[in-house]
Amino acid sequence: MSPAVKGASAAAAGIAALAVVAFLRTADDKPLPVTSPFPAVGVLMANGEHWCTASVVDSPKGNVVATAAHCVAPEGADGEPGEVAHDGLAIGELSFAPAFSGGGSGQAPLGRWKVRSIHVDDRWTKWGEDTADYAFLTVEPDKDGRSVQEAVGRTQAPAPDWASGYERDVTVVGYPDSDHNPENKPVSCTTQTSHDQDDPDMLYIGCAGFWTGTSGSPWIADRGPGRPGKLIGVLSGGDTDVDSTAALFDADAKKLYERAARG
C-alpha cells in the first residue's frame, strides 16, 4: 500500500496486558499510585498538543524514545530536505508524555519530558524512503536528574531488535487523536506481522482502531507477563484505521539509536 501517515494530530481495539503501578510523589512527598497497562507508551506532543505516539526503548541511560520519522522531521524528495511536516504544519517544540490519558487536554501522570535531540536517517530527510520512517529521540532528565525510563519503570521498556524477521507476533499500542478517542486512552492489538503486499520491504498488520495520531506506535514482539518484549519497528502509515505499516528496524536504525543513547 502507499502509506497514509497517521500522526500529527491529536475504534475499537482491546487492551490485553497486565497493568503496572508506578509511584509518583505528591507535594508533601506521599506516594501516589498511577496504574497504566503500557506505561512506556505515550503521546508525543508538539507545542503541548497531541502530535503522534512514541515509546520509551530500553537504553543504558534510560533516555531514548522511539517514534516515526515523519512525526519529527519533514519528508525529503530528490535528495533535498522538505520544508514542513507531512500535514503542512510546523512541528514545534517536542515533548513526550508517557501513560497519557483523560479527556480534554488530558493528564500526564508520569510527567512531560522535553526532547533534547532528534535522530533521523538521511534516507528519510533527503529521499522520503518509507523503509527509513523511524526516529530516536534523546529525552532530557527531569529536575531531579531522573530518566524517563526510571519514571515508567526500568523493566517496562522493550529492548530494540535490529535483526527481526517479517513474521512475528506483536503487540502494537497507539493513541488515536481525540476525534476518535476523546478520553485519550491507548488502543492495542496483538497479531502477527507480514510483508506489506504493495511494499514487501514494509511490515503490515490488520487491526482496527489505529486512526490519525497513532504514527510512531511501537510494534513489540515477545511481550508477556514479566517480559517487556522486543521493539522491532514503529507504525509508519496505512490507508485505513485497519491497515497499518511499519519500517523494520535494521543496522541503520541501530546507528541512530546508539547516537540518541549517547545523549
Side-chain angles (χ1 to χ4, degrees):
M1 85 184 50
S2 175
V5 292
K6 298 182 179 181
S9 76
I15 295 179
L18 293 177
V20 301
V21 178
F23 287 93
L24 303 183
R25 296 279 173 178
T26 61
D28 55 2
D29 205 37
K30 293 180 180 179
L32 175 67
V34 176
T35 303
S36 170
F38 304 105
V41 184
V43 170
L44 183 67
M45 294 184 165
N47 295 331
E49 299 293 333
H50 179 188
W51 189 253
C52 282
T53 298
S55 61
V56 181
V57 56
D58 185 48
S59 64
K61 296 181 180 179
N63 61 346
V64 179
V65 169
T67 191
H70 73 256
C71 293
V72 295
E75 177 181 4
D78 300 323
E80 297 294 330
E83 295 182 358
V84 295
H86 61 80
D87 61 355
L89 298 176
I91 291 172
E93 183 177 84
L94 295 171
S95 61
F96 172 62
F100 187 78
S101 67
S105 59
Q107 299 176 350
L110 298 178
R112 301 189 187 212
W113 300 76
K114 183 177 180 180
V115 174
R116 173 185 292 170
S117 58
I118 297 167
H119 306 274
V120 183
D121 197 303
D122 285 348
R123 290 176 298 156
W124 173 261
T125 56
K126 290 185 178 180
W127 303 98
E129 293 186 16
D130 291 333
T131 54
D133 192 6
Y134 46 67
F136 296 93
L137 315 178
T138 305
V139 176
E140 291 188 358
D142 67 10
K143 60 182 179 60
D144 297 319
R146 185 180 57 158
S147 72
V148 67
Q149 190 168 344
E150 288 178 279
V152 305
R154 270 283 175 183
T155 61
Q156 294 303 314
D161 185 343
W162 311 118
S164 175
Y166 277 84
E167 295 184 358
R168 299 285 295 273
D169 289 329
V170 297
T171 297
V172 181
V173 186
Y175 281 83
D177 65 21
S178 57
D179 288 344
H180 296 100
N181 182 27
E183 291 300 315
N184 290 308
K185 295 180 179 180
V187 297
S188 74
C189 176
T190 298
T191 188
Q192 187 175 61
T193 63
S194 63
H195 291 271
D196 180 49
Q197 290 186 350
D198 293 336
D199 186 351
D201 290 331
M202 298 288 286
L203 292 170
Y204 170 84
I205 62 166
C207 282
F210 287 85
W211 301 93
T212 300
T214 60
S215 284
S217 299
W219 293 35
I220 306 170
D222 302 332
R223 178 181 170 89
R227 301 196 314 273
K230 302 286 187 179
L231 186 63
I232 67 171
V234 294
L235 194 148
S236 173
D239 291 331
T240 70
D241 75 297
V242 175
D243 302 302
S244 297
T245 59
L248 189 67
F249 284 170
D250 55 13
D252 292 317
K254 182 180 180 181
K255 293 177 183 177
L256 294 178
Y257 163 85
E258 290 173 343
R259 192 187 310 164
R262 289 194 292 268

